[in-house]
Amino acid sequence: MPIARFEPHDDFLRVHFAAGESPRHADFHWFWLRHNSELDRHPLTRERIVCSSELPLEPHPRLVRLTEDAAALDIDWGDRSDGQVSRYAADWLREHAYAADRVPSPAPPSDSAAITVEASRLDEPLGRFTVRTVQRTGALIVRGFGTDTESLIDAIGREGLSVIETHFGRIEDLRTDNTTNRNTDQLGYTDSAIQLHTDQPFLDRPPRYQLLHCQQPADTGGDNFVVDALAAAHHLADLDRPAFDLLRTVPVTFHRKQKSFERVLVSPILDFDAPGGFRIRYSYFTLAPHRRPFAEMEAWYRAYNRFARLVRDERHQYRFRLEKGDFLIYDNWRMLHARTNFTGARWVRGVYFDAA
């Protein structure tokens, strides 16, 4: 049975077999393929002469190609001094397919255009469109609204959402020269980069939505990016179920300590049973030191880091820049958000909302 085509992915290789055959396709981890290379067998007895423990756990092939007759795949692992490549016959791959016709959960989306609209082109009230869309997609970017934050609050409020005041105040003026808010001894009021996180994970009920309304963009930098953490969780479960299960069951401690404010909350990072639906709590800068049994600590870090690498991959992020009068609104229970460092007098107003 010939091979029709193949698709290299970060973690695995998808092989498509000839039309009409079963399975139609199969997925193979790179490590599994490397471990099963015929080059690592004795030429006379055909027994293995290399243990999997001797191989790199995350091999990165230099080249994958079909043979001329499409009856096999050749993989150059880049680690053979003799220049030989591993060959995998189509019939052998079909016989040993352990993930035949697998349907993976997609990675988080990244096309910012899909969640961006021009305020002037809306054919329904702004507040209604904003709330309806963010409840469906998790995030919305609106260009060219203007800088009147109070009128934006009113428009959203007419759709059943109320402003939630926090320990910063009613509206946050996220700027380096802030004089209007309390508890400004945190990263949001600096020009530093802030990596992906959710806001207020140390509260029993973090605010559901956050609005970021640009009053003045930075001279350089200050770009925003958001990630659909619900999609990322499903994608992780499909790639690494043990890691997903640990993130869903292991409690971690979020500890926010400032000069005039302190809160502590213990919760798993992923919560699929929270009132109101899925909720992620994710904030590297408010995580207290992890406390796991000695024999479980490495497994926990592997799981956490696997998820972090997934969401920090730019291919899985909506990335954009807010200009004056633009705003972003997102679901703080579902989306992670971040910004790059910047120069200049960047000023973004932040407002939290939840159901009235």
Side-chain angles (χ1 to χ4, degrees):
M1 178 184 64
I3 295 172
R5 58 189 177 90
F6 62 87
E7 299 174 42
H9 295 264
D10 288 346
D11 300 287
F12 63 92
L13 177 70
R14 170 162 290 188
V15 178
H16 293 266
F17 299 107
E21 299 287 348
S22 180
R24 297 184 302 275
H25 66 259
D27 295 339
F28 302 91
H29 287 90
W30 293 115
F31 185 81
W32 185 91
L33 290 166
R34 180 65 185 85
H35 178 225
N36 285 288
S37 170
E38 85 287 358
L39 299 179
D40 295 329
R41 293 181 179 274
H42 192 279
L44 296 179
T45 70
R46 305 310 300 162
E47 294 170 289
R48 293 184 192 274
I49 56 175
V50 174
C51 174
S52 62
S53 65
E54 301 173 62
L55 302 172
L57 190 56
E58 297 182 358
H60 299 286
R62 183 162 59 187
L63 178 67
V64 183
R65 62 173 178 261
L66 274 175
T67 57
E68 288 187 8
D69 59 3
L73 275 175
D74 286 343
I75 300 181
D76 180 354
W77 297 104
D79 59 359
R80 300 282 302 197
S81 60
D82 57 10
Q84 294 189 79
V85 299
S86 302
R87 175 160 291 184
Y88 304 88
D91 289 341
W92 185 89
L93 289 170
R94 181 170 177 265
E95 178 186 356
H96 296 283
Y98 59 90
D101 291 326
R102 171 176 169 265
V103 181
S105 294
S110 60
D111 181 9
S112 297
I115 60 167
T116 302
V117 297
E118 294 286 342
S120 61
R121 297 182 180 178
L122 295 179
D123 56 4
E124 63 179 293
L126 174 72
R128 183 185 308 163
F129 176 84
T130 296
V131 173
R132 178 172 55 82
T133 303
V134 77
Q135 289 174 342
R136 175 174 56 85
T137 64
L140 174 68
I141 305 160
V142 177
R143 302 288 189 188
F145 169 78
T147 58
D148 188 344
T149 303
E150 291 294 348
S151 68
L152 184 50
I153 290 173
D154 290 343
I156 293 172
R158 286 192 288 271
E159 304 304 318
L161 297 183
S162 298
V163 174
I164 302 299
E165 183 165 337
T166 68
H167 62 292
F168 301 115
R170 178 173 173 269
I171 298 177
E172 287 190 79
D173 289 305
L174 297 166
R175 51 192 298 171
T176 58
D177 60 349
N178 180 284
T179 59
T180 61
N181 290 106
R182 307 184 299 272
N183 300 297
T184 58
D185 52 330
Q186 60 103 4
L187 288 171
Y189 299 96
T190 72
D191 56 10
S192 295
I194 307 176
Q195 257 293 351
L196 291 161
H197 64 284
T198 59
D199 277 7
Q200 314 287 330
F202 40 80
L203 299 181
D204 288 334
R205 181 187 172 95
R208 180 68 187 266
Y209 303 102
Q210 185 177 24
L211 168 73
L212 294 174
H213 188 194
C214 183
Q215 306 295 300
Q216 181 174 323
D219 293 343
T220 62
D223 295 348
N224 292 87
F225 46 110
V226 294
V227 174
D228 188 338
L230 178 58
H234 287 308
H235 190 58
L236 179 67
D238 189 63
L239 293 173
D240 190 339
R241 187 73 191 202
F244 169 81
D245 287 340
L246 286 175
L247 289 171
R248 190 173 53 85
T249 58
V250 170
V252 299
T253 300
F254 296 95
H255 184 190
R256 165 60 87 187
K257 185 174 184 179
Q258 298 174 264
K259 291 179 181 178
S260 304
F261 179 84
E262 185 171 8
R263 290 290 186 280
V264 176
L265 184 132
V266 179
S267 170
I269 288 174
L270 302 178
D271 188 351
F272 285 84
D273 300 313
F278 171 77
R279 188 178 304 174
I280 181 171
R281 299 176 189 266
Y282 186 83
S283 172
Y284 64 99
F285 49 83
T286 60
L287 273 179
H290 296 305
R291 296 182 64 87
R292 301 295 302 150
F294 185 89
E296 299 175 17
M297 188 64 82
E298 286 190 11
W300 164 249
Y301 269 113
R302 281 195 297 270
Y304 180 90
N305 292 350
R306 181 74 185 265
F307 183 75
R309 288 195 301 271
L310 171 63
V311 296
R312 289 188 177 208
D313 188 329
E314 292 189 13
R315 294 172 300 174
H316 304 155
Q317 301 172 351
Y318 295 118
R319 299 184 71 92
F320 52 93
R321 175 182 170 87
L322 294 176
E323 301 295 345
K324 183 175 182 177
D326 298 343
F327 70 84
L328 162 71
I329 186 169
Y330 64 89
D331 185 340
N332 186 49
W333 292 3
R334 171 179 169 181
M335 309 296 288
L336 310 179
H337 69 287
R339 74 168 189 223
T340 62
N341 63 344
F342 63 89
T343 64
R346 183 179 188 264
W347 177 20
V348 173
R349 308 200 83 190
V351 186
Y352 295 110
F353 293 90
D354 212 328

